[in-house]
Amino acid sequence: MYLKYSQLITSRTLICARKSLLYKIVPEPSPFRCKKSEKKWQCLNVQTSGFHTTQKLHFHAPVILCLGSILCGSFIRKRWLKLSPTEQEMIIRWYKQRRHIFHGGWKILSAILIIYFLTCIKRDPIVGAPRFVLFNEAQRIQNAKFLFKVVVQSESNVVPHDNHMYKKVARIIKKLTNANKEIFKGIDWDVTIIYRIFNIASIPNVLILPDRHIIILADIFNLIKSDDQLTFILAHEMSHEMLYHPSQTLSLGALSNNVILLSTFLIWVFYPPGVAAMLSSFMYILHAIIFACFKRSCEREADKVGLQLAAKCCIDSREILAFWEIMKMYDELTGASMFRIPFLNHHPSLEERKKITIRLMPKVNQLRDLVGCPELPLRDPRDFLPQYKRELEDELRRNPRLLGMRW
């Protein structure tokens, strides 16, 4: 589908394998070419890209813009206070004489913005809910390229393409797409497996970019104990994309950042520095809380839809309950949960996600029956949790980490 990552920074591409997903690594001596005679399938492009070898330095744009809005607002306030009462009165009178022009201009601009934002509403193909998507396809791909470089950082951070993990992921994605053809018809998926996020943190996690590029951190395979668990995890990430969550997050983030910058500017214009600092801090904290609430709602929705998509692959939903328990063990053993602030966390608690799974289990079993799945095994996967805990403890002993960091 997309060969965009072959154009990220250099023309060198490690993998450009478009396969029929028979899960074979492209044979040597030419691992960079695919046979044209092979059938094109809604395929998985397993690929990584070259990177600059020289370090690039970047300013953090939101921080610079925030400081700029504070300085501009403070500067205008100081200039206003330096004016004499007569000069201030003249400016106020000048504004009042032309207030109809200013108010009319603001109304016209507001109407244009409202109409424009209404044109950015799209309905997702699964639940049909309205989504605010500010960026078009080309812009989403460009944003995804930037996010890919930020998350992956370097070529050495990418797991080699001949690793067995790629074959396993490819097999599961083919299974999901075949079971949900009405949703995934004509859609391609890209996958990159990396060792560390931002080339710093080694944590069990999976994320998806706005262009259907799934990034998997290799450590999650130490926690996944069955194909059913991996099926749900991939279905969860694919649900995010089909529900437009990545694009909606970027769109709402861009819109809210502009609103906050304007608000910060106005606060520092109309209030003294002490009060302005307090109001600005409160506004940023409130924004962080609201954004975290939005992200948690996206995760809950992706859990529900992902569970339904995975159910058509005849998964045992009890495996998902076992996975939530394994994640809780990981949090307890590493102490990761100690550093999470509930109202600022972008994911629901594991206990809440477990309850969502339990609540949806009857619907999952109905879907399994509709597609003709075999009966569930008699033994509950959760019976193996003591064994999984011992394996996890052994793994953490062999590879000691501090909160998933590799130094």
Side-chain angles (χ1 to χ4, degrees):
M1 176 185 175
Y2 301 125
L3 298 180
K4 50 199 169 296
Y5 288 102
S6 64
Q7 304 169 359
L8 264 181
I9 301 175
T10 69
S11 60
R12 180 171 174 231
T13 303
L14 295 181
I15 307 163
C16 63
R18 172 164 293 202
K19 299 295 293 176
S20 60
L21 286 194
L22 297 178
Y23 320 118
K24 297 178 181 177
I25 300 302
V26 184
E28 297 292 341
S30 178
F32 309 110
R33 287 172 20 185
C34 307
K35 295 180 181 179
K36 293 183 179 179
S37 60
E38 290 179 341
K39 179 183 176 182
K40 278 191 177 181
W41 184 75
Q42 288 86 352
C43 66
L44 167 70
N45 295 328
V46 184
Q47 59 183 28
T48 56
S49 304
F51 292 82
H52 275 297
T53 55
T54 55
Q55 184 181 10
K56 296 182 73 176
L57 301 177
H58 300 279
F59 288 110
H60 199 285
V63 175
I64 299 299
L65 292 173
C66 176
L67 291 175
S69 63
I70 291 173
L71 293 175
C72 289
S74 180
F75 173 77
I76 291 175
R77 178 176 175 80
K78 288 179 181 179
R79 288 296 301 269
W80 172 261
L81 294 176
K82 286 181 180 180
L83 296 176
S84 65
T86 304
E87 291 174 325
Q88 292 179 358
E89 183 64 30
M90 289 177 60
I91 294 174
I92 293 172
R93 192 183 304 115
W94 177 85
Y95 169 76
K96 287 182 177 179
Q97 291 173 352
R98 297 164 177 79
R99 64 181 180 276
H100 299 297
I101 298 174
F102 287 105
H103 294 173
W106 280 113
K107 290 177 181 178
I108 293 172
L109 179 61
S110 299
I112 292 173
L113 289 175
I114 290 172
I115 293 171
Y116 172 69
F117 290 146
L118 289 175
T119 63
C120 296
I121 301 298
K122 296 178 63 176
R123 292 192 176 272
D124 67 82
I126 297 182
V127 300
R131 313 288 179 179
F132 179 68
V133 180
L134 191 60
F135 304 106
N136 58 32
E137 184 70 17
Q139 291 169 326
R140 290 200 297 272
I141 292 173
Q142 191 64 33
N143 288 330
K145 287 181 181 181
F146 173 76
L147 293 172
F148 180 85
K149 289 185 285 184
V150 170
V151 171
V152 179
Q153 290 288 323
S154 68
E155 183 180 315
S156 61
N157 190 33
V158 178
V159 174
H161 70 276
D162 56 353
N163 191 286
H164 68 92
M165 291 184 287
Y166 282 107
K167 296 181 181 179
K168 181 182 287 189
V169 172
R171 175 165 50 83
I172 297 299
I173 288 184
K174 180 180 179 181
K175 189 176 178 181
L176 277 167
T177 51
N178 282 338
N180 298 276
K181 291 180 181 178
E182 70 282 1
I183 296 174
F184 296 132
K185 183 178 180 182
I187 294 177
D188 299 340
W189 302 93
D190 300 332
V191 168
T192 299
I193 303 176
I194 61 176
Y195 296 110
R196 296 171 295 279
I197 190 168
F198 311 127
N199 211 10
I200 298 176
S202 174
I203 55 178
N205 202 358
V206 183
L207 59 141
I208 188 165
L209 302 181
D211 63 342
R212 306 186 185 98
H213 195 117
I214 302 172
I215 298 180
I216 304 174
L217 278 95
D219 274 2
I220 200 167
F221 289 97
N222 296 326
L223 304 184
I224 294 172
K225 301 303 179 181
S226 70
D227 282 357
D228 285 354
Q229 294 177 9
L230 181 58
T231 301
F232 168 72
I233 292 168
L234 292 174
H236 172 91
E237 296 303 324
M238 295 162 78
S239 298
H240 273 310
E241 173 57 29
M242 299 310 296
L243 295 169
Y244 299 144
H245 288 164
S247 299
Q248 191 177 27
T249 299
L250 288 174
S251 301
L252 291 175
L255 179 61
S256 62
N257 285 340
N258 290 327
V259 171
I260 283 180
L261 289 174
L262 179 59
S263 301
T264 302
F265 170 76
L266 294 175
I267 286 172
W268 283 85
V269 167
F270 291 106
Y271 293 94
V275 177
M278 292 178 60
L279 290 175
S280 298
S281 300
F282 175 77
M283 181 180 62
Y284 278 98
I285 293 172
L286 182 62
H287 171 262
I289 293 172
I290 294 173
F291 191 75
C293 288
F294 164 73
K295 290 289 291 180
R296 288 197 296 271
S297 69
C298 290
E299 293 298 329
R300 294 187 194 99
E301 189 176 28
D303 277 351
K304 295 174 184 176
V305 174
L307 190 54
Q308 294 173 25
L309 298 179
K312 295 182 180 179
C313 296
C314 297
I315 69 164
D316 184 348
S317 56
R318 298 172 299 179
E319 288 281 6
I320 303 171
L321 297 176
F323 177 73
W324 297 138
E325 293 294 340
I326 294 170
M327 291 298 296
K328 286 175 67 175
M329 293 176 194
Y330 174 84
D331 282 355
E332 292 169 1
L333 292 171
T334 60
S337 57
M338 295 169 54
F339 295 88
R340 294 191 186 129
I341 303 174
F343 57 84
L344 292 178
N345 194 11
H346 286 189
H347 289 77
S349 66
L350 292 171
E351 194 61 37
E352 182 182 350
R353 302 179 88 167
K354 181 179 173 182
K355 290 178 181 177
I356 292 173
T357 305
I358 293 173
R359 189 170 67 248
L360 292 174
M361 283 180 72
K363 189 172 184 179
V364 170
N365 293 333
Q366 289 178 2
L367 284 172
R368 293 181 86 259
D369 294 339
L370 285 175
V371 297
C373 295
E375 293 293 328
L376 292 173
L378 293 178
R379 185 158 188 182
D380 194 319
R382 288 169 288 183
D383 295 342
F384 298 98
L385 285 174
Q387 174 188 339
Y388 295 157
K389 184 175 183 179
R390 289 193 298 271
E391 292 174 355
L392 182 57
E393 289 172 342
D394 293 340
E395 177 64 27
L396 292 176
R397 254 193 304 274
R398 286 194 302 269
N399 301 297
R401 303 178 184 89
L402 176 60
L403 296 176
M405 308 294 281
R406 288 180 179 173
W407 302 97

CSV table of all heavy atoms in Angstrom, one decimal, residues 68-101:
chain,number,residue,atom,x,y,z
A,68,GLY,N,6.3,32.2,23.7
A,68,GLY,CA,6.1,33.3,22.9
A,68,GLY,C,4.8,34.0,23.2
A,68,GLY,O,4.7,35.2,23.2
A,69,SER,N,3.7,33.2,23.4
A,69,SER,CA,2.4,33.8,23.7
A,69,SER,C,2.4,34.5,25.1
A,69,SER,O,1.8,35.6,25.3
A,69,SER,CB,1.3,32.8,23.7
A,69,SER,OG,1.5,31.8,24.7
A,70,ILE,N,3.2,34.0,26.0
A,70,ILE,CA,3.3,34.6,27.3
A,70,ILE,C,4.1,35.9,27.2
A,70,ILE,O,3.7,37.0,27.8
A,70,ILE,CB,4.0,33.7,28.3
A,70,ILE,CG1,3.1,32.5,28.7
A,70,ILE,CG2,4.4,34.4,29.6
A,70,ILE,CD1,3.8,31.4,29.5
A,71,LEU,N,5.2,35.9,26.5
A,71,LEU,CA,6.0,37.1,26.3
A,71,LEU,C,5.3,38.2,25.6
A,71,LEU,O,5.3,39.4,25.9
A,71,LEU,CB,7.3,36.8,25.6
A,71,LEU,CG,8.3,35.9,26.4
A,71,LEU,CD1,9.5,35.5,25.5
A,71,LEU,CD2,8.8,36.6,27.7
A,72,CYS,N,4.5,37.8,24.5
A,72,CYS,CA,3.8,38.8,23.7
A,72,CYS,C,2.7,39.4,24.6
A,72,CYS,O,2.5,40.6,24.6
A,72,CYS,CB,3.2,38.1,22.5
A,72,CYS,SG,4.4,37.7,21.2
A,73,GLY,N,1.9,38.6,25.3
A,73,GLY,CA,0.9,39.1,26.2
A,73,GLY,C,1.4,40.0,27.3
A,73,GLY,O,0.9,41.1,27.5
A,74,SER,N,2.5,39.6,27.9
A,74,SER,CA,3.2,40.4,28.9
A,74,SER,C,3.7,41.7,28.4
A,74,SER,O,3.5,42.8,29.0
A,74,SER,CB,4.3,39.6,29.6
A,74,SER,OG,4.9,40.4,30.6
A,75,PHE,N,4.2,41.7,27.2
A,75,PHE,CA,4.8,42.9,26.5
A,75,PHE,C,3.6,43.9,26.2
A,75,PHE,O,3.8,45.1,26.5
A,75,PHE,CB,5.5,42.5,25.2
A,75,PHE,CG,5.9,43.7,24.4
A,75,PHE,CD1,7.0,44.4,24.8
A,75,PHE,CD2,5.2,44.1,23.3
A,75,PHE,CE1,7.5,45.5,24.0
A,75,PHE,CE2,5.6,45.2,22.5
A,75,PHE,CZ,6.7,45.9,22.9
A,76,ILE,N,2.5,43.4,25.7
A,76,ILE,CA,1.4,44.3,25.4
A,76,ILE,C,0.8,44.9,26.7
A,76,ILE,O,0.5,46.1,26.7
A,76,ILE,CB,0.3,43.6,24.6
A,76,ILE,CG1,0.8,43.2,23.2
A,76,ILE,CG2,-1.0,44.4,24.5
A,76,ILE,CD1,-0.1,42.4,22.4
A,77,ARG,N,0.7,44.1,27.7
A,77,ARG,CA,0.2,44.7,29.0
A,77,ARG,C,1.1,45.8,29.6
A,77,ARG,O,0.7,46.8,30.0
A,77,ARG,CB,0.1,43.5,30.0
A,77,ARG,CG,-0.4,44.0,31.4
A,77,ARG,CD,-0.6,42.9,32.4
A,77,ARG,NE,-1.0,43.4,33.7
A,77,ARG,CZ,-2.2,43.8,34.0
A,77,ARG,NH1,-3.2,43.7,33.1
A,77,ARG,NH2,-2.5,44.3,35.2
A,78,LYS,N,2.4,45.5,29.5
A,78,LYS,CA,3.4,46.5,30.0
A,78,LYS,C,3.3,47.8,29.2
A,78,LYS,O,3.3,48.9,29.7
A,78,LYS,CB,4.8,46.0,29.9
A,78,LYS,CG,5.1,44.9,31.0
A,78,LYS,CD,6.5,44.4,30.9
A,78,LYS,CE,6.8,43.3,31.9
A,78,LYS,NZ,8.2,42.8,31.8
A,79,ARG,N,3.2,47.7,27.9
A,79,ARG,CA,3.1,48.9,27.0
A,79,ARG,C,1.8,49.7,27.3
A,79,ARG,O,1.8,50.9,27.3
A,79,ARG,CB,3.1,48.5,25.5
A,79,ARG,CG,4.4,48.0,25.0
A,79,ARG,CD,5.4,49.1,25.0
A,79,ARG,NE,5.0,50.3,24.3
A,79,ARG,CZ,5.3,50.5,23.0
A,79,ARG,NH1,6.0,49.6,22.3
A,79,ARG,NH2,4.9,51.6,22.3
A,80,TRP,N,0.7,48.9,27.6
A,80,TRP,CA,-0.6,49.6,27.9
A,80,TRP,C,-0.5,50.3,29.3
A,80,TRP,O,-0.9,51.5,29.4
A,80,TRP,CB,-1.7,48.5,28.0
A,80,TRP,CG,-3.0,49.1,28.5
A,80,TRP,CD1,-3.5,49.0,29.8
A,80,TRP,CD2,-3.9,49.8,27.8
A,80,TRP,NE1,-4.7,49.6,29.9
A,80,TRP,CE2,-5.0,50.1,28.6
A,80,TRP,CE3,-4.0,50.3,26.4
A,80,TRP,CZ2,-6.1,50.8,28.3
A,80,TRP,CZ3,-5.1,51.0,26.0
A,80,TRP,CH2,-6.2,51.3,26.9
A,81,LEU,N,0.2,49.7,30.2
A,81,LEU,CA,0.3,50.4,31.6
A,81,LEU,C,1.2,51.6,31.5
A,81,LEU,O,1.1,52.5,32.4
A,81,LEU,CB,0.8,49.3,32.6
A,81,LEU,CG,-0.1,48.2,32.9
A,81,LEU,CD1,0.5,47.2,33.9
A,81,LEU,CD2,-1.5,48.7,33.5
A,82,LYS,N,2.1,51.6,30.5
A,82,LYS,CA,3.0,52.8,30.4
A,82,LYS,C,2.3,54.0,29.8
A,82,LYS,O,2.8,55.1,29.9
A,82,LYS,CB,4.3,52.4,29.6
A,82,LYS,CG,5.2,51.5,30.3
A,82,LYS,CD,6.4,51.2,29.4
A,82,LYS,CE,7.4,50.3,30.2
A,82,LYS,NZ,8.6,50.0,29.3
A,83,LEU,N,1.2,53.8,29.1
A,83,LEU,CA,0.5,54.9,28.5
A,83,LEU,C,-0.2,55.7,29.6
A,83,LEU,O,-0.6,55.3,30.7
A,83,LEU,CB,-0.6,54.3,27.6
A,83,LEU,CG,-0.1,53.6,26.3
A,83,LEU,CD1,-1.3,53.0,25.6
A,83,LEU,CD2,0.8,54.4,25.4
A,84,SER,N,-0.3,57.0,29.3
A,84,SER,CA,-1.0,57.9,30.2
A,84,SER,C,-2.5,57.7,30.1
A,84,SER,O,-3.0,57.1,29.2
A,84,SER,CB,-0.6,59.4,29.8
A,84,SER,OG,-1.2,59.7,28.5
A,85,PRO,N,-3.2,58.1,31.2
A,85,PRO,CA,-4.7,58.0,31.1
A,85,PRO,C,-5.3,58.6,29.9
A,85,PRO,O,-6.3,58.0,29.4
A,85,PRO,CB,-5.1,58.7,32.4
A,85,PRO,CG,-4.0,58.5,33.3
A,85,PRO,CD,-2.8,58.7,32.5
A,86,THR,N,-4.8,59.7,29.4
A,86,THR,CA,-5.4,60.3,28.2
A,86,THR,C,-5.2,59.5,27.0
A,86,THR,O,-6.1,59.3,26.2
A,86,THR,CB,-4.7,61.7,28.0
A,86,THR,OG1,-4.8,62.5,29.2
A,86,THR,CG2,-5.3,62.4,26.8
A,87,GLU,N,-4.0,58.9,26.9
A,87,GLU,CA,-3.7,58.0,25.7
A,87,GLU,C,-4.6,56.8,25.8
A,87,GLU,O,-5.1,56.3,24.7
A,87,GLU,CB,-2.2,57.7,25.7
A,87,GLU,CG,-1.3,58.8,25.4
A,87,GLU,CD,0.2,58.5,25.5
A,87,GLU,OE1,0.5,57.7,26.4
A,87,GLU,OE2,1.0,59.0,24.7
A,88,GLN,N,-4.7,56.2,27.0
A,88,GLN,CA,-5.6,55.0,27.1
A,88,GLN,C,-7.0,55.4,26.7
A,88,GLN,O,-7.7,54.5,26.1
A,88,GLN,CB,-5.5,54.5,28.5
A,88,GLN,CG,-4.2,53.9,28.9
A,88,GLN,CD,-4.1,53.4,30.4
A,88,GLN,OE1,-5.1,53.6,31.1
A,88,GLN,NE2,-3.0,52.9,30.8
A,89,GLU,N,-7.5,56.5,27.2
A,89,GLU,CA,-8.8,56.9,26.8
A,89,GLU,C,-9.0,57.1,25.3
A,89,GLU,O,-10.1,56.7,24.8
A,89,GLU,CB,-9.2,58.2,27.6
A,89,GLU,CG,-10.6,58.7,27.4
A,89,GLU,CD,-11.6,57.8,27.9
A,89,GLU,OE1,-11.3,57.1,28.9
A,89,GLU,OE2,-12.8,57.8,27.4
A,90,MET,N,-8.0,57.7,24.7
A,90,MET,CA,-8.1,57.9,23.2
A,90,MET,C,-8.2,56.5,22.5
A,90,MET,O,-9.0,56.3,21.5
A,90,MET,CB,-6.9,58.6,22.7
A,90,MET,CG,-6.9,60.1,23.1
A,90,MET,SD,-5.3,60.9,22.6
A,90,MET,CE,-5.4,60.7,20.8
A,91,ILE,N,-7.4,55.5,22.9
A,91,ILE,CA,-7.5,54.2,22.3
A,91,ILE,C,-8.8,53.5,22.5
A,91,ILE,O,-9.4,52.9,21.6
A,91,ILE,CB,-6.3,53.3,22.8
A,91,ILE,CG1,-5.0,53.9,22.4
A,91,ILE,CG2,-6.4,51.9,22.3
A,91,ILE,CD1,-3.8,53.2,23.0
A,92,ILE,N,-9.3,53.6,23.7
A,92,ILE,CA,-10.6,53.0,24.1
A,92,ILE,C,-11.7,53.7,23.2
A,92,ILE,O,-12.6,53.0,22.7
A,92,ILE,CB,-11.0,53.2,25.5
A,92,ILE,CG1,-10.0,52.3,26.4
A,92,ILE,CG2,-12.4,52.8,25.9
A,92,ILE,CD1,-10.1,52.6,27.9
A,93,ARG,N,-11.7,55.0,23.1
A,93,ARG,CA,-12.7,55.7,22.2
A,93,ARG,C,-12.6,55.3,20.8
A,93,ARG,O,-13.6,55.1,20.1
A,93,ARG,CB,-12.5,57.3,22.4
A,93,ARG,CG,-13.6,58.1,21.8
A,93,ARG,CD,-13.4,59.6,21.9
A,93,ARG,NE,-13.1,60.0,23.3
A,93,ARG,CZ,-11.9,60.5,23.7
A,93,ARG,NH1,-11.0,60.6,22.8
A,93,ARG,NH2,-11.8,60.8,24.9
A,94,TRP,N,-11.3,55.2,20.3
A,94,TRP,CA,-11.1,54.7,18.9
A,94,TRP,C,-11.7,53.4,18.7
A,94,TRP,O,-12.4,53.1,17.6
A,94,TRP,CB,-9.6,54.7,18.6
A,94,TRP,CG,-9.3,54.2,17.2
A,94,TRP,CD1,-9.2,54.9,16.1
A,94,TRP,CD2,-8.9,52.9,16.9
A,94,TRP,NE1,-8.9,54.1,15.0
A,94,TRP,CE2,-8.7,52.8,15.5
A,94,TRP,CE3,-8.8,51.7,17.6
A,94,TRP,CZ2,-8.3,51.7,14.8
A,94,TRP,CZ3,-8.5,50.5,16.9
A,94,TRP,CH2,-8.2,50.5,15.6
A,95,TYR,N,-11.5,52.5,19.7
A,95,TYR,CA,-12.1,51.1,19.5
A,95,TYR,C,-13.6,51.1,19.5
A,95,TYR,O,-14.3,50.5,18.7
A,95,TYR,CB,-11.6,50.2,20.7
A,95,TYR,CG,-12.3,48.9,20.7
A,95,TYR,CD1,-12.0,47.9,19.8
A,95,TYR,CD2,-13.3,48.6,21.7
A,95,TYR,CE1,-12.7,46.6,19.9
A,95,TYR,CE2,-13.9,47.4,21.7
A,95,TYR,CZ,-13.6,46.4,20.8
A,95,TYR,OH,-14.3,45.3,20.9
A,96,LYS,N,-14.2,51.9,20.4
A,96,LYS,CA,-15.7,52.0,20.5
A,96,LYS,C,-16.3,52.5,19.2
A,96,LYS,O,-17.4,52.0,18.8
A,96,LYS,CB,-16.1,52.8,21.7
A,96,LYS,CG,-15.8,52.2,23.1
A,96,LYS,CD,-16.3,53.1,24.2
A,96,LYS,CE,-16.1,52.4,25.5
A,96,LYS,NZ,-16.6,53.3,26.7
A,97,GLN,N,-15.6,53.4,18.6
A,97,GLN,CA,-16.1,54.0,17.3
A,97,GLN,C,-16.2,52.9,16.2
A,97,GLN,O,-17.0,53.0,15.3
A,97,GLN,CB,-15.3,55.2,16.9
A,97,GLN,CG,-15.5,56.4,17.8
A,97,GLN,CD,-14.5,57.5,17.5
A,97,GLN,OE1,-13.6,57.4,16.6
A,97,GLN,NE2,-14.7,58.7,18.1
A,98,ARG,N,-15.3,52.0,16.3
A,98,ARG,CA,-15.2,50.9,15.3
A,98,ARG,C,-15.5,49.5,15.7
A,98,ARG,O,-15.2,48.5,15.1
A,98,ARG,CB,-13.7,50.9,14.7
A,98,ARG,CG,-13.3,52.3,14.0
A,98,ARG,CD,-11.8,52.3,13.9
A,98,ARG,NE,-11.4,53.6,13.2
A,98,ARG,CZ,-11.4,54.8,13.7
A,98,ARG,NH1,-11.7,54.9,15.0
A,98,ARG,NH2,-11.0,55.8,13.0
A,99,ARG,N,-16.2,49.5,16.9
A,99,ARG,CA,-16.5,48.2,17.5
A,99,ARG,C,-17.4,47.3,16.6
A,99,ARG,O,-17.2,46.1,16.6
A,99,ARG,CB,-17.1,48.3,18.9
A,99,ARG,CG,-18.5,49.0,18.9
A,99,ARG,CD,-19.0,49.1,20.3
A,99,ARG,NE,-20.3,49.7,20.4
A,99,ARG,CZ,-20.5,51.0,20.4
A,99,ARG,NH1,-19.5,51.8,20.3
A,99,ARG,NH2,-21.7,51.4,20.5
A,100,HIS,N,-18.3,47.9,15.8
A,100,HIS,CA,-19.1,47.1,14.9
A,100,HIS,C,-18.3,46.4,13.9
A,100,HIS,O,-18.6,45.3,13.5
A,100,HIS,CB,-20.2,48.0,14.3
A,100,HIS,CG,-21.1,48.7,15.3
A,100,HIS,ND1,-21.9,48.0,16.1
A,100,HIS,CD2,-21.3,50.0,15.6
A,100,HIS,CE1,-22.6,48.8,16.9
A,100,HIS,NE2,-22.2,50.1,16.6
A,101,ILE,N,-17.3,47.1,13.4
A,101,ILE,CA,-16.4,46.5,12.4
A,101,ILE,C,-15.7,45.3,13.0
A,101,ILE,O,-15.6,44.2,12.4
A,101,ILE,CB,-15.4,47.5,11.8
A,101,ILE,CG1,-16.1,48.6,11.1
A,101,ILE,CG2,-14.4,46.8,10.9
A,101,ILE,CD1,-15.2,49.8,10.7
